[in-house]
Amino acid sequence: MMDIASLFRLDGRVALVTGGSRGIGRMIAEGFVASGAKVYVSSRRADACEATAAALGPNAIPLPHDVSTVEGCRTLAADLAAREPRLDILVNNAGAAWGEPFENFPEKGWDKVMDLNVKSPFFLTQALHGLLKAAGTPERPAKVINITSIDGQRLNAWETYSYHASKSALIYLTKRLAARLARDQIHVTSIAPGAFASDMNKAARDHGDSVAKAIPAKRIGVAEDMAGAAIFLASRAGDYLVGETVTVDGGLVNASLGASIDG
Ligand SMILES: NC(=O)c1ccc[n+]([C@@H]2O[C@H](COP(=O)([O-])OP(=O)(O)OC[C@H]3O[C@@H](n4cnc5c(N)ncnc54)[C@H](OP(=O)(O)O)[C@@H]3O)[C@@H](O)[C@H]2O)c1
């Protein structure tokens, strides 16, 4: 019989979640720990990483670093390499958004978002290539999961120009990295979340009921929705997904009816 009990387990796996201290990253870190993984929780603020790791238990370890620069990505990778000989699962989740009217949209709001959302996933994956390669085998590929967004798949009304562009870029970068890294038994995929309550998505956090009205499933996403998708991709169950973006949004992208134009 097929061993369904182990299909979604992550026992003995080592994972790193950037932006794991809160929001979507924390949801994923919690799911990984509950599935048996050892999870390094990373973000800029050491106190936030420590508090989250303490809440998630002894298999969660704080590893604070700023990944907005290439140097920061390399420092995080070196810190991890000093503790672990291999890395089974990398979740590139840390991200930022910037909204401002088109006329005044500043260079700072462009660079901050493109650096953290596009450049960092690439250079952190590059810096961790050796550890990921050490973990990947044909029977058990290592995993890189990029957290993209439905804003990279369709427009919304916010004037978040660099954010839209960055998430679309990361969905495509997921495919290009997947093509290169498959030969090293490292499978790269992405999750495109819809509305999840967080510091970044204050609308979902503070006005969830009104946000839910526009979502076909009639609710915003919760921790189990995000953890479920991430555990699927990270575990044996998701081994045959390569370069894929899994949309987890209650149907906004794939089950919304457009406006009628013929009356
Ligand atoms: N929430 C949603 O509805 C939604 C929808 C689609 C996509 N997403 C994506 O999901 C990811 C997480 O978003 P979220 O909503 O959970 O946002 P959030 O609550 O603002 O969390 C962002 C996380 O990233 C960390 N971070 C920010 N800058 C960093 C840096 N330079 N280096 C390292 N860590 C950094 C933050 O901790 P520190 O401040 O301590 O660094 C925090 O842990 C992002 O990529 C976002 O674009 C979110």
Side-chain angles (χ1 to χ4, degrees):
M1 277 291 278
M2 192 180 284
D3 182 9
I4 296 293
S6 69
L7 201 51
F8 293 88
R9 294 290 307 176
L10 298 173
D11 301 288
R13 314 268 174 114
V14 175
L16 168 64
V17 182
T18 69
S21 63
R22 63 172 194 254
I24 282 180
R26 181 183 169 135
M27 297 174 198
I28 293 170
E30 184 177 356
F32 282 1
V33 168
S35 301
K38 178 180 182 186
V39 181
Y40 286 89
V41 173
S42 193
S43 84
R44 288 167 302 183
R45 279 183 46 198
D47 57 342
C49 291
E50 282 157 17
T52 297
L56 298 186
N59 276 338
I61 299 137
L63 199 63
H65 283 281
D66 182 343
V67 294
S68 64
T69 63
V70 176
E71 190 193 353
C73 292
R74 290 180 181 156
T75 309
L76 169 55
D79 199 355
L80 190 69
R83 297 154 186 255
E84 299 288 344
R86 61 183 171 81
L87 177 64
D88 297 288
I89 307 155
L90 166 63
V91 182
N92 286 310
N93 164 77
W98 191 293
E100 206 158 322
F102 173 69
E103 293 83 347
N104 305 318
F105 199 93
E107 185 178 7
K108 193 178 165 200
W110 187 269
D111 290 345
K112 181 182 177 177
V113 170
M114 292 301 278
D115 281 356
L116 187 60
N117 296 9
V118 187
K119 193 167 86 172
S120 300
F122 179 83
F123 284 102
L124 186 59
T125 306
Q126 184 194 59
L128 289 165
H129 188 202
L131 286 188
L132 290 162
K133 260 201 298 197
T137 65
E139 297 73 34
R140 205 179 90 174
K143 304 289 175 70
V144 175
I145 303 170
N146 296 320
I147 304 306
T148 56
S149 171
I150 59 169
D151 290 353
Q153 299 174 310
R154 66 96 172 94
L155 298 178
N156 70 35
W158 305 102
E159 291 195 85
T160 49
Y161 298 97
S162 52
Y163 188 76
H164 275 98
S166 75
K167 293 300 185 177
S168 199
L170 187 56
I171 287 171
Y172 215 78
L173 182 60
T174 296
K175 298 186 190 195
R176 188 59 187 91
L177 284 174
R180 167 61 185 84
L181 296 179
R183 79 164 90 123
D184 298 327
Q185 280 84 48
I186 303 165
H187 289 183
V188 187
T189 55
S190 104
I191 295 172
F196 284 78
S198 73
D199 288 2
M200 181 190 287
N201 194 336
K202 292 188 174 63
R205 188 191 66 191
D206 302 336
H207 312 285
D209 287 348
S210 62
V211 170
K213 286 189 184 122
I215 300 171
K218 295 300 172 204
R219 65 172 178 84
I220 62 167
V222 295
E224 285 78 2
D225 299 312
M226 189 45 52
I231 293 164
F232 167 54
L233 291 176
S235 66
R236 171 66 189 88
D239 279 358
Y240 209 47
L241 281 82
V242 181
E244 180 70 30
T245 288
V246 176
T247 305
V248 183
D249 70 342
L252 265 172
V253 167
N254 291 310
S256 289
L257 298 172
S260 173
I261 53 167
D262 56 6

PDB file of all heavy atoms in Angstrom, residues 148-155 164 167 171 192-195 247-249 252-253:
ATOM      1  N   THR A 148       5.448  34.216  -4.258  1.00  0.00           N
ATOM      2  CA  THR A 148       5.171  35.271  -5.244  1.00  0.00           C
ATOM      3  C   THR A 148       3.877  35.967  -4.835  1.00  0.00           C
ATOM      4  O   THR A 148       3.708  36.329  -3.682  1.00  0.00           O
ATOM      5  CB  THR A 148       5.132  34.652  -6.663  1.00  0.00           C
ATOM      6  OG1 THR A 148       4.165  33.593  -6.706  1.00  0.00           O
ATOM      7  CG2 THR A 148       6.494  34.092  -7.034  1.00  0.00           C
ATOM      8  N   SER A 149       2.913  36.129  -5.730  1.00  0.00           N
ATOM      9  CA  SER A 149       1.649  36.777  -5.381  1.00  0.00           C
ATOM     10  C   SER A 149       0.705  36.700  -6.563  1.00  0.00           C
ATOM     11  O   SER A 149       1.158  36.682  -7.720  1.00  0.00           O
ATOM     12  CB  SER A 149       1.867  38.256  -5.030  1.00  0.00           C
ATOM     13  OG  SER A 149       0.616  38.923  -4.891  1.00  0.00           O
ATOM     14  N   ILE A 150      -0.585  36.717  -6.277  1.00  0.00           N
ATOM     15  CA  ILE A 150      -1.537  36.842  -7.386  1.00  0.00           C
ATOM     16  C   ILE A 150      -1.365  38.196  -8.083  1.00  0.00           C
ATOM     17  O   ILE A 150      -1.784  38.346  -9.231  1.00  0.00           O
ATOM     18  CB  ILE A 150      -3.005  36.642  -6.938  1.00  0.00           C
ATOM     19  CG1 ILE A 150      -3.416  37.662  -5.877  1.00  0.00           C
ATOM     20  CG2 ILE A 150      -3.228  35.220  -6.469  1.00  0.00           C
ATOM     21  CD1 ILE A 150      -4.925  37.676  -5.613  1.00  0.00           C
ATOM     22  N   ASP A 151      -0.699  39.151  -7.419  1.00  0.00           N
ATOM     23  CA  ASP A 151      -0.456  40.440  -8.072  1.00  0.00           C
ATOM     24  C   ASP A 151       0.557  40.316  -9.215  1.00  0.00           C
ATOM     25  O   ASP A 151       0.732  41.260  -9.990  1.00  0.00           O
ATOM     26  CB  ASP A 151       0.016  41.482  -7.057  1.00  0.00           C
ATOM     27  CG  ASP A 151      -1.108  41.882  -6.116  1.00  0.00           C
ATOM     28  OD1 ASP A 151      -2.255  41.455  -6.334  1.00  0.00           O
ATOM     29  OD2 ASP A 151      -0.834  42.615  -5.144  1.00  0.00           O
ATOM     30  N   GLY A 152       1.223  39.169  -9.298  1.00  0.00           N
ATOM     31  CA  GLY A 152       2.075  38.892 -10.449  1.00  0.00           C
ATOM     32  C   GLY A 152       1.327  38.170 -11.552  1.00  0.00           C
ATOM     33  O   GLY A 152       1.887  37.890 -12.613  1.00  0.00           O
ATOM     34  N   GLN A 153       0.048  37.863 -11.308  1.00  0.00           N
ATOM     35  CA  GLN A 153      -0.756  37.129 -12.294  1.00  0.00           C
ATOM     36  C   GLN A 153      -1.898  37.951 -12.850  1.00  0.00           C
ATOM     37  O   GLN A 153      -2.388  37.693 -13.940  1.00  0.00           O
ATOM     38  CB  GLN A 153      -1.342  35.863 -11.643  1.00  0.00           C
ATOM     39  CG  GLN A 153      -0.286  34.900 -11.145  1.00  0.00           C
ATOM     40  CD  GLN A 153      -0.915  33.735 -10.389  1.00  0.00           C
ATOM     41  OE1 GLN A 153      -1.727  33.926  -9.495  1.00  0.00           O
ATOM     42  NE2 GLN A 153      -0.535  32.541 -10.746  1.00  0.00           N
ATOM     43  N   ARG A 154      -2.363  38.914 -12.059  1.00  0.00           N
ATOM     44  CA  ARG A 154      -3.449  39.767 -12.518  1.00  0.00           C
ATOM     45  C   ARG A 154      -3.339  41.104 -11.773  1.00  0.00           C
ATOM     46  O   ARG A 154      -2.668  41.202 -10.763  1.00  0.00           O
ATOM     47  CB  ARG A 154      -4.809  39.105 -12.287  1.00  0.00           C
ATOM     48  CG  ARG A 154      -5.185  38.901 -10.815  1.00  0.00           C
ATOM     49  CD  ARG A 154      -6.062  40.065 -10.379  1.00  0.00           C
ATOM     50  NE  ARG A 154      -6.642  39.907  -9.058  1.00  0.00           N
ATOM     51  CZ  ARG A 154      -6.109  40.391  -7.932  1.00  0.00           C
ATOM     52  NH1 ARG A 154      -4.934  40.967  -7.913  1.00  0.00           N
ATOM     53  NH2 ARG A 154      -6.761  40.279  -6.798  1.00  0.00           N
ATOM     54  N   LEU A 155      -4.016  42.133 -12.301  1.00  0.00           N
ATOM     55  CA  LEU A 155      -3.892  43.464 -11.699  1.00  0.00           C
ATOM     56  C   LEU A 155      -4.836  43.619 -10.515  1.00  0.00           C
ATOM     57  O   LEU A 155      -5.851  42.935 -10.413  1.00  0.00           O
ATOM     58  CB  LEU A 155      -4.203  44.529 -12.737  1.00  0.00           C
ATOM     59  CG  LEU A 155      -3.267  44.564 -13.940  1.00  0.00           C
ATOM     60  CD1 LEU A 155      -3.724  45.634 -14.933  1.00  0.00           C
ATOM     61  CD2 LEU A 155      -1.826  44.820 -13.510  1.00  0.00           C
ATOM     62  N   HIS A 164       3.792  44.796  -8.459  1.00  0.00           N
ATOM     63  CA  HIS A 164       3.233  43.992  -9.546  1.00  0.00           C
ATOM     64  C   HIS A 164       4.349  43.424 -10.432  1.00  0.00           C
ATOM     65  O   HIS A 164       4.380  42.227 -10.753  1.00  0.00           O
ATOM     66  CB  HIS A 164       2.303  44.850 -10.413  1.00  0.00           C
ATOM     67  CG  HIS A 164       0.898  44.953  -9.901  1.00  0.00           C
ATOM     68  ND1 HIS A 164       0.449  46.024  -9.170  1.00  0.00           N
ATOM     69  CD2 HIS A 164      -0.156  44.129 -10.016  1.00  0.00           C
ATOM     70  CE1 HIS A 164      -0.835  45.844  -8.866  1.00  0.00           C
ATOM     71  NE2 HIS A 164      -1.219  44.697  -9.361  1.00  0.00           N
ATOM     72  N   LYS A 167       6.575  40.675  -8.639  1.00  0.00           N
ATOM     73  CA  LYS A 167       5.988  39.350  -8.433  1.00  0.00           C
ATOM     74  C   LYS A 167       5.835  38.606  -9.756  1.00  0.00           C
ATOM     75  O   LYS A 167       5.988  37.390  -9.811  1.00  0.00           O
ATOM     76  CB  LYS A 167       4.658  39.478  -7.699  1.00  0.00           C
ATOM     77  CG  LYS A 167       4.830  39.972  -6.252  1.00  0.00           C
ATOM     78  CD  LYS A 167       5.700  39.029  -5.424  1.00  0.00           C
ATOM     79  CE  LYS A 167       5.783  39.431  -3.972  1.00  0.00           C
ATOM     80  NZ  LYS A 167       6.563  38.488  -3.158  1.00  0.00           N
ATOM     81  N   ILE A 171       7.717  35.011 -10.604  1.00  0.00           N
ATOM     82  CA  ILE A 171       7.049  33.822 -11.162  1.00  0.00           C
ATOM     83  C   ILE A 171       7.857  33.295 -12.362  1.00  0.00           C
ATOM     84  O   ILE A 171       8.078  32.095 -12.498  1.00  0.00           O
ATOM     85  CB  ILE A 171       5.595  34.162 -11.571  1.00  0.00           C
ATOM     86  CG1 ILE A 171       4.728  34.337 -10.315  1.00  0.00           C
ATOM     87  CG2 ILE A 171       5.011  33.075 -12.490  1.00  0.00           C
ATOM     88  CD1 ILE A 171       3.334  34.885 -10.572  1.00  0.00           C
ATOM     89  N   ALA A 192       1.634  31.474  -5.103  1.00  0.00           N
ATOM     90  CA  ALA A 192       1.093  32.821  -5.299  1.00  0.00           C
ATOM     91  C   ALA A 192      -0.094  33.000  -4.351  1.00  0.00           C
ATOM     92  O   ALA A 192      -1.196  32.524  -4.636  1.00  0.00           O
ATOM     93  CB  ALA A 192       0.658  33.010  -6.752  1.00  0.00           C
ATOM     94  N   PRO A 193       0.134  33.654  -3.197  1.00  0.00           N
ATOM     95  CA  PRO A 193      -0.985  33.839  -2.253  1.00  0.00           C
ATOM     96  C   PRO A 193      -1.931  34.925  -2.722  1.00  0.00           C
ATOM     97  O   PRO A 193      -1.550  35.868  -3.415  1.00  0.00           O
ATOM     98  CB  PRO A 193      -0.286  34.285  -0.958  1.00  0.00           C
ATOM     99  CG  PRO A 193       1.181  34.071  -1.162  1.00  0.00           C
ATOM    100  CD  PRO A 193       1.397  34.168  -2.641  1.00  0.00           C
ATOM    101  N   GLY A 194      -3.184  34.759  -2.310  1.00  0.00           N
ATOM    102  CA  GLY A 194      -4.165  35.834  -2.445  1.00  0.00           C
ATOM    103  C   GLY A 194      -4.153  36.662  -1.174  1.00  0.00           C
ATOM    104  O   GLY A 194      -3.089  37.098  -0.738  1.00  0.00           O
ATOM    105  N   ALA A 195      -5.308  36.879  -0.559  1.00  0.00           N
ATOM    106  CA  ALA A 195      -5.397  37.760   0.615  1.00  0.00           C
ATOM    107  C   ALA A 195      -5.207  36.981   1.917  1.00  0.00           C
ATOM    108  O   ALA A 195      -6.029  36.137   2.272  1.00  0.00           O
ATOM    109  CB  ALA A 195      -6.748  38.461   0.625  1.00  0.00           C
ATOM    110  N   THR A 247      -1.388  28.702  -7.127  1.00  0.00           N
ATOM    111  CA  THR A 247      -2.154  29.878  -6.704  1.00  0.00           C
ATOM    112  C   THR A 247      -3.063  29.493  -5.540  1.00  0.00           C
ATOM    113  O   THR A 247      -3.857  28.564  -5.651  1.00  0.00           O
ATOM    114  CB  THR A 247      -3.003  30.388  -7.888  1.00  0.00           C
ATOM    115  OG1 THR A 247      -2.128  30.630  -8.995  1.00  0.00           O
ATOM    116  CG2 THR A 247      -3.732  31.670  -7.529  1.00  0.00           C
ATOM    117  N   VAL A 248      -2.924  30.210  -4.421  1.00  0.00           N
ATOM    118  CA  VAL A 248      -3.679  29.878  -3.199  1.00  0.00           C
ATOM    119  C   VAL A 248      -4.446  31.134  -2.797  1.00  0.00           C
ATOM    120  O   VAL A 248      -3.968  31.966  -2.009  1.00  0.00           O
ATOM    121  CB  VAL A 248      -2.723  29.406  -2.078  1.00  0.00           C
ATOM    122  CG1 VAL A 248      -3.511  28.993  -0.835  1.00  0.00           C
ATOM    123  CG2 VAL A 248      -1.874  28.231  -2.553  1.00  0.00           C
ATOM    124  N   ASP A 249      -5.633  31.303  -3.401  1.00  0.00           N
ATOM    125  CA  ASP A 249      -6.294  32.612  -3.301  1.00  0.00           C
ATOM    126  C   ASP A 249      -7.820  32.541  -3.210  1.00  0.00           C
ATOM    127  O   ASP A 249      -8.502  33.548  -3.427  1.00  0.00           O
ATOM    128  CB  ASP A 249      -5.905  33.465  -4.519  1.00  0.00           C
ATOM    129  CG  ASP A 249      -6.527  32.933  -5.811  1.00  0.00           C
ATOM    130  OD1 ASP A 249      -6.961  31.754  -5.843  1.00  0.00           O
ATOM    131  OD2 ASP A 249      -6.583  33.698  -6.785  1.00  0.00           O
ATOM    132  N   LEU A 252      -9.664  33.906  -6.637  1.00  0.00           N
ATOM    133  CA  LEU A 252      -9.637  35.249  -7.243  1.00  0.00           C
ATOM    134  C   LEU A 252      -9.111  35.232  -8.675  1.00  0.00           C
ATOM    135  O   LEU A 252      -9.703  35.847  -9.566  1.00  0.00           O
ATOM    136  CB  LEU A 252      -8.764  36.181  -6.393  1.00  0.00           C
ATOM    137  CG  LEU A 252      -9.500  37.034  -5.366  1.00  0.00           C
ATOM    138  CD1 LEU A 252      -8.509  37.762  -4.467  1.00  0.00           C
ATOM    139  CD2 LEU A 252     -10.405  38.053  -6.068  1.00  0.00           C
ATOM    140  N   VAL A 253      -8.016  34.510  -8.902  1.00  0.00           N
ATOM    141  CA  VAL A 253      -7.417  34.519 -10.241  1.00  0.00           C
ATOM    142  C   VAL A 253      -8.159  33.597 -11.194  1.00  0.00           C
ATOM    143  O   VAL A 253      -8.452  33.978 -12.332  1.00  0.00           O
ATOM    144  CB  VAL A 253      -5.919  34.127 -10.177  1.00  0.00           C
ATOM    145  CG1 VAL A 253      -5.359  33.828 -11.563  1.00  0.00           C
ATOM    146  CG2 VAL A 253      -5.112  35.241  -9.521  1.00  0.00           C
TER     147      VAL A 253
END
